[in-house]
Amino acid sequence: MNAAVGTVIAVLLSLVSAAGYALAAVAQSRLAASSPVRDGGGALRALLTHGQWWSAVGLNAAGALAHVAALHYGPLTLVQPLGALTLVAALPLGAYHARRRVTRTEWRGALWTLGGLVGLVAVTGPAAPGEALSLRESLVVAAATALLVATLASGRPHGHEGGAGGRGRNGLGHATASGIASGVASALTQTLTAALARELPGGAPAWWQTALLALLISGFATGGLLLSQAAYRGGLAAPLAVVNLSNPAAAAVIGVALLGETFRAGAWGWLVAAAASLVAARGVVLLTKDGPTAEPTPAAPTAEPTPTGPTARSAPAVSGPTLTTPTTTGPALTTPAATGPGAVDRILSRQTTPDLPPSQAEPLPAPVAG
């Protein structure tokens, strides 16, 4: 197979991968909007029994497989930027399901984020073939990542206290934690692949070391998926943008700190990376401001105001057998109230005392005029 055919296949597979991730994000966002807010084991059980959740899991898996296949036919410098099209594809898909149009601000935010992400990926140098973390480095990275993810995801559940702004900030924290967990899972996958190929630094690992790496990868991958589900409670566009940014950023930090990688073009590469980060941050801010944070709730019908003053007293009383109680006596309580200017005076002047013998009844004082 020549290079041109390989490049075309890599591009097509990258587009399939981006579409799979976008559809999965839309499905997770709709599930988050339609499900009641739960936390702990109740939330996990609700997800595991929901068919839409498993559809999102399948779409994420399909996107990951297409991404791996694209890397087999094309270079990382081509495949990774195309993966950023997930955000561009998810915006119209989410708007279509919500029966609305993508706003101009959302498109601007998506383009700013896409430009920043492509800039970051373009100056990040991939690891050399066979280069991977040692087992000790993998354990240190896993422990540090678990602590960081727990800190980012430790915000209070989405409730009424914070309103829409609180939900958005909490969602971005979960999105950042999701991207970091997924990025570390990718780095550990590379380490496991090298271990299976007997290229792990420090020699071939024992079976329990390989099993430990597989367990860490499964934990971080599952955690990233669950954290992204929590992030989509605050909307779709902004959390998805943060997930797509924090994922390669975490991989870049691991590569620069532990694998000896560096940004291309030396010092200029660091400047380009800093500028790309600012551009991407600008896009996230635009998506956060303009994107809807929750499904609109229909307004409750307004109750009719209760009349007060003389008008309320002059309203005709409803008569009937159901209004007659044992404590009500006298003909004045079973007849409609009079209306007109003198209704109040006539009602107040009526005798409302119970029927008593003449010897026990006391005369009522005459009403005071005025």
Side-chain angles (χ1 to χ4, degrees):
M1 181 182 298
N2 56 39
V5 175
T7 300
V8 172
I9 295 177
V11 170
L12 293 177
L13 288 173
S14 298
L15 295 178
V16 171
S17 174
Y21 282 131
L23 289 171
V26 172
Q28 288 182 266
S29 177
R30 295 181 63 194
L31 179 59
S34 61
S35 301
V37 177
R38 299 177 182 176
D39 293 281
L44 182 58
R45 286 192 297 270
L47 286 177
L48 294 179
T49 57
H50 208 293
Q52 192 172 2
W53 162 255
W54 291 109
S55 298
V57 172
L59 288 169
N60 274 307
L65 291 176
H67 180 76
V68 172
L71 289 174
H72 177 73
Y73 292 101
L76 181 66
T77 53
L78 172 66
V79 174
Q80 199 71 17
L82 290 175
L85 294 175
T86 300
L87 178 61
V88 179
L91 274 179
L93 288 174
Y96 173 77
H97 285 290
R99 297 181 180 180
R100 65 176 184 87
R101 293 183 178 180
V102 182
T103 64
R104 184 176 301 178
T105 305
E106 285 179 316
W107 280 123
R108 287 173 54 204
L111 292 177
W112 277 78
T113 306
L114 182 63
L117 183 57
V118 171
L120 282 174
V121 173
V123 297
T124 302
E131 187 175 1
L133 299 172
S134 65
L135 181 62
R136 178 178 299 179
E137 290 173 340
S138 299
L139 295 178
V140 171
V141 168
T145 303
L147 181 61
L148 180 58
V149 167
T151 302
L152 291 171
S154 62
R156 293 182 60 85
H158 305 286
H160 301 288
E161 295 88 350
R167 289 193 298 269
R169 289 189 296 270
N170 196 264
L172 293 184
H174 284 91
T176 305
S178 173
I180 292 175
S182 300
V184 172
S186 299
L188 294 178
T189 300
Q190 182 185 17
T191 300
L192 179 61
T193 303
L196 295 177
R198 299 296 187 268
E199 296 177 357
L200 186 69
W207 67 269
W208 64 268
Q209 294 174 328
T210 303
L212 179 59
L213 286 175
L215 182 62
L216 290 175
I217 292 170
S218 301
F220 282 116
T222 304
L225 190 60
L226 294 176
L227 286 168
S228 66
Q229 179 65 48
Y232 292 135
R233 295 177 186 171
L236 171 65
L240 182 59
V242 173
V243 169
N244 286 336
L245 285 171
S246 55
N247 189 321
V253 169
I254 293 174
V256 172
L258 299 176
L259 299 180
E261 298 178 8
T262 184
F263 292 109
R264 295 188 179 96
W268 287 104
W270 287 89
L271 293 176
V272 171
S277 300
L278 293 177
V279 169
R282 169 64 176 169
V284 173
V285 170
L286 289 175
L287 291 173
T288 305
K289 287 183 177 180
D290 196 72
T293 58
E295 294 292 329
T297 304
T302 305
E304 293 293 334
T306 303
T308 58
T311 306
R313 297 184 179 182
S314 62
V318 180
S319 60
T322 57
L323 297 180
T324 304
T325 60
T327 58
T328 59
T329 58
L333 298 180
T334 59
T335 58
T339 58
V344 176
D345 294 336
R346 287 194 294 272
I347 293 174
L348 294 178
S349 64
R350 290 175 180 174
Q351 181 178 354
T352 58
T353 58
D355 296 336
L356 297 175
S359 60
Q360 297 181 7
E362 295 180 7
L364 292 175
V368 181

